[in-house]
Amino acid sequence: MNADDTYLRNITFHHCTGNYASFYGTNMKQVVFDECVLSGSDFSSATLSKINFGQSNIDKAQFLTTKLEGIDLSSCSFQSIAVTVECLSGCIISPEQAAIFAKALGLIVKDPYSEQG
């Protein structure tokens, strides 16, 4: 699916398979992805407003130069996604996803309780 540089308004995608779909530069408002598979999809340079990714699979999706402030990814599944660090502020993620982002940023997360002293 190629929806590059389009305007999407008040749309619900329900149980859709959109692997490698391209939403590059798309302006989205009030769009719901309900339990969709969006692996490898491209949301780079998109404008997102009131977007709900629900329990979608967004593994290896790209959100480069896309502001994610207020976007809730906490119930999405992914092992890696591509983001622009400066655009990540205000994105809502789960504790498990925080570890994924920390690793991508080159941080080492140490569990203080795992060491026996």
Side-chain angles (χ1 to χ4, degrees), residues 51-70:
I51 305 303
N52 183 342
F53 283 99
Q55 294 181 337
S56 295
N57 179 336
I58 58 169
D59 192 38
K60 297 186 176 95
Q62 296 182 44
F63 292 90
L64 301 172
T65 68
T66 300
K67 291 185 180 182
L68 296 173
E69 184 174 1

Side-chain angles (χ1 to χ4, degrees), residues 63-85:
F63 292 90
L64 301 172
T65 68
T66 300
K67 291 185 180 182
L68 296 173
E69 184 174 1
I71 304 299
D72 187 347
L73 302 178
S74 65
S75 59
C76 293
S77 62
F78 61 88
Q79 291 302 307
S80 69
I81 61 174
V83 299
T84 302
V85 174

Side-chain angles (χ1 to χ4, degrees), residues 4-115:
D4 290 352
D5 297 313
T6 59
Y7 288 84
L8 299 178
R9 300 285 188 267
N10 304 310
I11 297 174
T12 297
F13 295 94
H14 183 67
H15 288 279
C16 292
T17 300
N19 292 328
Y20 303 101
S22 184
F23 297 98
Y24 183 92
T26 299
N27 187 309
M28 296 185 189
K29 186 173 185 178
Q30 295 181 327
V31 175
V32 175
F33 293 95
D34 181 34
E35 297 182 21
C36 295
V37 178
L38 300 166
S39 298
S41 293
D42 189 2
F43 293 89
S44 296
S45 298
T47 301
L48 308 180
S49 176
K50 299 180 182 175
I51 305 303
N52 183 342
F53 283 99
Q55 294 181 337
S56 295
N57 179 336
I58 58 169
D59 192 38
K60 297 186 176 95
Q62 296 182 44
F63 292 90
L64 301 172
T65 68
T66 300
K67 291 185 180 182
L68 296 173
E69 184 174 1
I71 304 299
D72 187 347
L73 302 178
S74 65
S75 59
C76 293
S77 62
F78 61 88
Q79 291 302 307
S80 69
I81 61 174
V83 299
T84 302
V85 174
E86 296 81 12
C87 296
L88 196 54
S89 179
C91 182
I92 302 162
I93 59 174
S94 71
E96 295 81 15
Q97 293 165 339
I100 293 170
F101 281 107
K103 182 178 177 183
L105 292 170
L107 301 174
I108 299 170
V109 179
K110 180 179 176 182
D111 182 355
Y113 302 105
S114 66
E115 295 184 14

